[in-house]
Amino acid sequence: GDSVTQMEGPVTLSEEAFLTINCTYTATGYPSLFWYVQYPGEGLQLLLKATKADDKGSNKGFEATYRKETTSFHLEKGSVQVSDSAVYFCALFTGGGNKLTFGTGTQLKVEL
Amino acid sequence: ETGVTQTPRHLVMGMTNKKSLKCEQHLGHNAMYWYKQSAKKPLELMFVYSLEERVENNSVPSRFSPECPNSSHLFLHLHTLQPEDSALYLCASSQDRGGQPQHFGDGTRLSIL
C-alpha cells in the first residue's frame, strides 16, 4: 500500500537557519505530493504541492521538488523564522486509493 | 478563517457518556472527512462522505457513528469510548471526493477519562 516516511523530530533551529525536512514515499501509480503545516492549536493547512515528476511546489519561502527517481519530496526553506514553528506533514494522493496518505509529521521549533 | 468550523474545540468525557462532535463547512464542497490525529502516528482517515452519502469507513469501531444530514454539516457521535480514543479529531472538506486540496478545521481535542 501507499506510505510516506518523514524524518523524526523535533527539529530545532535558530532563526535564519536553513531548513530541510526529508520525505520519501512508496506508491503505486503516479501520486500527487503535498506538504501540509499545522500551527499550534490549529488544523492542517496546505503549504505546497506538486503533481508530477520534476515539478517544484513553493509557498511562503518554502519549496519542495518532486523527485521520481528517488521517490522523495523534501521540504526546504533558506531562512526560517520563529513564526515557522509548527508541525509539517508530507502527504501523497493517488487516484486509485482516492485518499490522502500522511506521514507522521515533523515538529519544527525555531528559536531566536 | 479556514471555512471549516469544528465544535467543541475541547471535550472531556467519561467512558459511559454520549457526546457529538460537529463540523460545518462554508466552502460549498461536496465531500467531507473525519480524521483521527494521535501523537507520533500518521493521520488516520476514519470516514468519507460524498454528497451526503458515506463512501468510506476505514474499519472504525462502532462506538464512532458519523452522520451527514447535508453537504455542509458532518457529525461524529461518540458512545462508550475507550481511553485510547483520546486524540485530536479533524474534519476536512474538498470540492469532490478525492479533490485536492482538502481544507481542515481546527479540530476537537477529545480526552476520555
Side-chain angles (χ1 to χ4, degrees), chain B residues 35-105:
Chain B
Y35 287 89
K36 177 182 179 182
Q37 184 179 15
S38 304
K40 299 189 178 181
K41 294 174 67 174
L43 265 71
E44 301 172 48
L45 179 63
M46 301 175 71
F47 301 103
V48 180
Y49 275 82
S50 177
L51 295 171
E52 301 148 45
E53 179 183 345
R54 188 190 312 180
V55 295
E56 192 160 340
N57 173 351
N58 285 330
S59 303
V60 179
S62 60
R63 57 186 185 268
F64 295 91
S65 175
E67 178 189 3
C68 187
N70 55 62
S71 59
S72 298
H73 293 86
L74 184 65
F75 294 90
L76 187 63
H77 303 301
L78 315 173
H79 175 53
T80 320
L81 295 192
Q82 304 299 309
E84 62 265 28
D85 297 324
S86 298
L88 181 68
Y89 289 84
L90 291 166
C91 174
S93 70
S94 63
Q95 186 60 56
D96 299 291
R97 182 192 177 198
Q100 299 299 326
Q102 292 182 16
H103 295 256
F104 285 81

Side-chain angles (χ1 to χ4, degrees), chain A residues 38 41 43-44 89 93 98 102, chain B residues 9 37 97-98 100 104-106:
Chain A
Q38 185 177 32
L44 278 69
F89 292 88
F93 178 85
N98 213 16
F102 287 90
Chain B
R9 292 297 310 275
Q37 184 179 15
R97 182 192 177 198
Q100 299 299 326
F104 285 81
D106 289 340

Side-chain angles (χ1 to χ4, degrees), chain A residues 58-75:
Chain A
S58 61
N59 186 26
K60 298 181 180 179
F62 291 88
E63 34 179 61
T65 301
Y66 189 142
R67 300 288 188 198
K68 185 180 175 184
E69 63 276 12
T70 54
T71 61
S72 65
F73 193 54
H74 304 322
L75 183 68

Side-chain angles (χ1 to χ4, degrees), chain A residues 40-94:
Chain A
E42 298 184 12
L44 278 69
Q45 302 174 28
L46 179 66
L47 180 60
L48 54 84
K49 67 177 183 180
T51 57
K52 62 182 187 295
D54 300 325
D55 269 2
K56 178 185 285 188
S58 61
N59 186 26
K60 298 181 180 179
F62 291 88
E63 34 179 61
T65 301
Y66 189 142
R67 300 288 188 198
K68 185 180 175 184
E69 63 276 12
T70 54
T71 61
S72 65
F73 193 54
H74 304 322
L75 183 68
E76 297 181 335
K77 186 174 186 182
S79 176
V80 294
Q81 305 300 311
V82 172
S83 57
D84 293 326
S85 297
V87 181
Y88 292 82
F89 292 88
C90 186
L92 68 83
F93 178 85
T94 58

